[in-house]
Amino acid sequence: MPPTTPPADRSVLRLVAAEPALGLAAGRALMLQVADPRVAQGVADHSDFRKRPLARLIGTLDFLIIVTFGTEQEAERVGHAVRRVHDRVTGPGYSGNDPELQVWVNATLIDAALYVYTEVLGSPSGDLADEYVRQAALVAEVLGCPPDQQPADLASFRRYMDEKIAALEVSDTGREVARAVLWPQRPRWLRPAGGLNRFLTIGLLPPRLREQFDLPWSARDERLLRLLLRTGATGYRLVPGPVRRSPRHLALHGARRRIARRARAHAPA
């Protein structure tokens, strides 16, 4: 199916996505994705996750930034490029262009954003969750996912997530990928921040999946997490919205540069 042209109205998608705090749940989204055995196997078979555990996350973030904040032409180009990569991501029981998996991966990104925006920050720009779900469907649409296969509104999205999480069974491969993400050996310069990222990622996971990933967590950890989130959110909301969201221009510039660099690296000689 050809990609759907991004709609002109991305206002709510952009407003929510511009909150830097959403990055707190990036690890949650990635872990939810690999909790599906098919996604985990695809990552294991088609990426160098042991040596470059953050490469997939960075690539996903660049794609999201372009689709959200870039021009319609840029969104279509990056969607086409990702579909070409997904054409090669196939194996027993999975395909990178499987609409069911596209819906799930996009749903984990929507879920992570809404978790921080509503549960942690308390919806600082108002109750935008329902419209955010509708507009964020664009992310899967530019990859060719039929719109009618995605949750149509917030209520159906919540039901979808609850049912999906209740049915997931983390595989050994999923646990291996998770360990590489949470305890990365490279790059070494990220190690000082690794402990905090690991703590947040483990703490923000649904308890059922945290147990399936065999990740340690205690009541004391939970109390500390809640204290950190409350304290951080209070200070974060004191910063005026336009100031908080101003780094989006730098993020778009960086994503464009990284995507162009990757395109040059893979261009025919």
Side-chain angles (χ1 to χ4, degrees), residues 162-174:
D162 288 345
E163 292 170 1
K164 179 75 176 182
I165 290 173
L168 284 172
E169 296 293 339
V170 177
S171 65
D172 290 338
T173 301

Side-chain angles (χ1 to χ4, degrees), residues 85-257:
V85 172
H86 285 177
D87 286 340
R88 302 190 296 271
V89 180
T90 59
Y94 69 85
S95 166
N97 286 321
D98 182 346
E100 182 183 346
L101 294 184
Q102 290 175 344
V103 171
W104 170 238
V105 170
N106 193 32
T108 67
L109 301 170
I110 297 171
D111 165 84
L114 288 182
Y115 184 91
V116 175
Y117 183 78
T118 61
E119 302 298 325
V120 178
L121 301 180
S123 303
S125 296
D127 185 4
L128 305 174
D130 198 59
E131 184 59 26
Y132 179 79
V133 168
R134 282 192 285 268
Q135 292 189 16
L138 162 67
V139 175
E141 286 179 33
V142 298
L143 296 178
C145 182
D148 60 3
Q149 293 198 24
Q150 301 192 65
D153 52 35
L154 182 62
S156 59
F157 176 78
R158 297 295 191 201
R159 285 194 301 272
Y160 169 81
M161 289 300 298
D162 288 345
E163 292 170 1
K164 179 75 176 182
I165 290 173
L168 284 172
E169 296 293 339
V170 177
S171 65
D172 290 338
T173 301
R175 282 183 279 271
E176 182 184 2
V177 175
R179 284 192 294 272
V181 170
L182 294 174
W183 284 274
Q185 299 303 307
R186 299 180 183 180
R188 289 195 174 97
W189 58 268
L190 275 180
R191 288 184 185 178
L196 178 59
N197 175 69
R198 183 163 53 249
F199 180 78
L200 290 171
T201 297
I202 295 173
L204 294 180
L205 281 175
R208 180 178 184 275
L209 295 183
R210 187 192 300 139
E211 293 174 2
Q212 289 197 34
F213 277 115
D214 294 332
L215 296 172
W217 195 251
S218 67
R220 180 179 177 276
D221 291 331
E222 185 69 22
R223 290 192 298 270
L224 177 57
L225 174 67
R226 296 304 152 189
L227 175 62
L228 288 174
L229 292 178
R230 284 196 303 271
T231 304
T234 299
Y236 185 86
R237 288 194 298 266
L238 292 176
V239 181
V243 177
R244 292 196 312 263
R245 294 187 290 270
S246 59
R248 68 187 183 277
H249 301 296
L250 291 176
L252 179 58
H253 177 69
R256 284 169 170 162
R257 290 187 61 183

Side-chain angles (χ1 to χ4, degrees), residues 41-93:
Q41 195 61 52
V43 171
D45 292 346
H46 297 275
S47 72
D48 190 9
F49 73 94
R50 294 176 184 85
K51 294 182 179 179
R52 302 173 65 234
L54 300 181
R56 184 174 186 274
L57 177 59
I58 293 171
T60 298
L61 291 177
D62 286 344
F63 168 74
L64 289 174
I65 290 168
I66 294 296
V67 172
T68 302
F69 300 110
T71 66
E72 293 184 5
Q73 292 75 21
E74 286 178 318
E76 290 177 353
R77 283 199 301 270
V78 76
H80 177 70
V82 172
R83 289 195 307 277
R84 289 180 61 188
V85 172
H86 285 177
D87 286 340
R88 302 190 296 271
V89 180
T90 59

